[in-house]
Amino acid sequence: MQRLKALCSGLALALFLTMVPKAHAQDPWKISATNINPANYYGVTVANGMIGIVSAPEPFKVKDVVLAGAYDLYGRGRVSNFLRSFNLLNMQLGIDGRNLGAADAKDFKQELNMQGASFTGSFQYADKAKISYTYYSLRHLPFTVLMDVTVTTQKDLTLNAASVMEAPDALKDVQNYYNEIDRPHVTISLLTSSAKSPTGKLLMCASNSFLFGEAHGKEPRVIHEMWDNNMHLMKFNRSLKAGETYRFSIVGSSITSAHHDDPLNEAERMTIYAKLEGRDRLLSFHQKAWADLWKSDIQVEGDAQAQQDIRSMLYHLYSFSRAGTDLSPSPMGLSGLGYNGHVFWDTELWMYPALLVLQPEMAKSMVEYRFQRLTAAKRNAFNHGFKGAMFPWESAATGVEETPVWALSGPFEHHITACVGIAAWNYYAVTQDKEWLKERGWPILKEAADFWASRVERNGPGQYDIKNVVAADEWAENVDNNAWTNAAAKAVLQYATQAALALGNKPDADWALVAKNIPILKMENGVTKEHATYKGEGIKQGDVNLLAYPLKEITDPAQIRKDLDYYAARVPTEGTPAMTQAIFTLLYSRIGDATKAGYFFKDAYVPNLNPPFRVIAETKGGTNPYFATGAGGILQSVMMGFGGLDIGPNGITQIPSVLPPSWKKLTLTGIGPDKKTFVATAK
């Protein structure tokens, strides 16, 4: 039966591959859409690690604006949730008094440019004008966005443009402001709004302004209009001659009291700063920042569609993360309100390793997020009768448990504490930053090790059991001696010992004793057993196979293959997250099976794609993109699988692996702190 399921899955994937639109695969940097159907449209995100803008199928509209770190208690699950910010780029554009909409947009095209992190819409309006708009979440200014609008006329016409500021429904006590600042060299029109979050915990603010190309004194006159308490706008008119090209821009900033003590004034200050920097300087700094990021890249020869898809995954991880913060991405990044914006193991185990080897400073922010919430994790351990630190399964602003009470993962999915410890050790392994290890990594590792030493039940040699957990395979609830949980706990105890020695500290001797006696179970057929009562049922996601990677608890290729072949046949063809097939891909590549590695690479994400920009959902046929967790897992399958990168105690090395059958060459640039290049070629 399992073999039949696998065969059906393979046939389904092959059929699906023939049906998925190629989305201009010949271009490795741009994803274009010309068949835009609002009923089957999944927006793509432009973000800078702090503010995310999600596209909409209508011209000049934005679906969502999401700010990292902005949470409040409302709605779903009686826990903290992400908040929508003010939609500060929504605008209206009219020609001769007619406001243009989707019905007016002939030959409407939208395009994501990943190289410059911009989103463009363009269309023809009647026989009067060609119109385009492009927006950016400015990489160098974390809270600031920019939109350009260009109109090329074919007839004389009057342009009517308005920037509309509207408060999301969940916000309350909306206050609207309009101000003009006159100086001899400039006039600054500021459209500003503020509102309180649902409980009043946060003040959310946004402000924007027009940028005109005309000399001061010749720019259009801006007029303010108040529509209602939740919406106001500023607008201007401009007469244009046939054959004229006219461009204007909107620049704006959004920030909350979670980010700044004075968000209302700061939103206006940042908008003024951006306006007086000017469009050209803003774009120059933005483009330079992205050019620096793309020095760390993944280049595929032999599969143009895979190249585009991999770069899209990398683009999204770069967009959802930011160096120099104590913020960490949720499973859906800044693409919306999915998973309430909470932080899970999705960060440490799936997104983090790819960023660690490509952008260590981004990865550093993710560990800093956990360090800043270490006190909350220690309280959580105390509440459950344990020592050390017990990190929450779902975390938001404060680091307390944010899992809704109906989900058993909150009280029982304890492997998250091991994931956090492993991430801390791997940051040190890659960077060899001993000062960081002393100040940040060691406190995390010590408290995680103390937790596991208190969490085990000491039932004799080889029987330091870890009972009553939710496994990494979340269909296995309240089970004993889960393979991943036990092996990850063992790894953290060993890493804490190594960290102590690296710093010249005396490690707790009990850590090594506990690690030595945590059991890893086997079935009669020699396959590693997922948990004590496992009897061969289907699994939601990879668990046992994670012992070979990333843990290296299992290193024998024969055992790795035995476990792979067994559990790969027990993953259903739908309803399971993309990371599982990514681990199968990685391990089959490392043991030299190019055919199976290539199959599982495609199976990991192609059935999860949504139109028109090939954005990844969590599951096959799913509709909740963008699933950054899956992207992180697939990028690991490319770099650590096909590329053979390996993180060890002395940094990044390259081990033998194989490429998929169609690939000729894989080049990984800007790897690690030394920005090395690694190459893998077809055998």
Side-chain angles (χ1 to χ4, degrees), residues 24-38:
H24 298 267
Q26 73 276 10
D27 193 319
W29 290 106
K30 296 177 181 178
I31 305 176
S32 302
T34 53
N35 183 19
I36 298 169
N37 176 10

Side-chain angles (χ1 to χ4, degrees), residues 526-545:
V527 172
T528 305
K529 194 173 186 179
E530 189 184 88
H531 55 80
T533 52
Y534 181 74
K535 294 182 174 63
E537 54 268 28
I539 61 172
K540 176 184 177 182
Q541 60 198 67
D543 189 302
V544 163
N545 306 106

Side-chain angles (χ1 to χ4, degrees), residues 496-647:
T497 299
Q498 294 177 53
L501 295 172
L503 293 172
N505 299 335
K506 183 178 180 181
D508 189 333
D510 190 48
W511 297 343
L513 174 67
V514 174
K516 181 180 178 181
N517 286 286
I518 293 176
I520 306 297
L521 306 181
K522 288 285 186 72
M523 294 190 285
E524 291 183 1
N525 60 5
V527 172
T528 305
K529 194 173 186 179
E530 189 184 88
H531 55 80
T533 52
Y534 181 74
K535 294 182 174 63
E537 54 268 28
I539 61 172
K540 176 184 177 182
Q541 60 198 67
D543 189 302
V544 163
N545 306 106
L546 297 172
L547 274 63
Y549 175 89
L551 293 186
K552 304 176 190 174
E553 171 69 26
I554 297 173
T555 57
D556 175 30
Q559 184 66 51
I560 293 171
R561 179 177 283 279
K562 183 186 287 284
D563 291 344
L564 271 173
D565 291 345
Y566 183 87
Y567 286 104
R570 280 158 177 79
V571 179
T573 57
E574 58 184 25
T576 61
M579 309 92 73
T580 299
Q581 287 86 353
I583 289 297
F584 295 162
T585 301
L586 187 155
L587 293 175
Y588 275 121
S589 174
R590 285 190 169 193
I591 63 173
D593 192 330
T595 300
K596 285 190 174 180
Y599 167 79
F600 280 113
F601 170 72
K602 294 290 188 183
D603 192 47
Y605 79 93
V606 173
N608 303 49
L609 298 176
N610 281 283
F613 300 106
R614 298 177 69 88
V615 292
I616 303 174
E618 182 173 7
T619 60
K620 297 175 182 178
T623 56
N624 62 339
Y626 187 90
F627 190 47
T629 309
I634 295 158
L635 289 175
Q636 287 185 70
S637 77
V638 173
M639 292 189 292
M640 286 76 158
F642 303 145
L645 298 189
D646 192 62
I647 297 173

Side-chain angles (χ1 to χ4, degrees), residues 393-404:
W393 177 242
E394 298 188 32
S395 182
T398 65
V400 302
E401 182 62 72
E402 298 277 6
T403 306

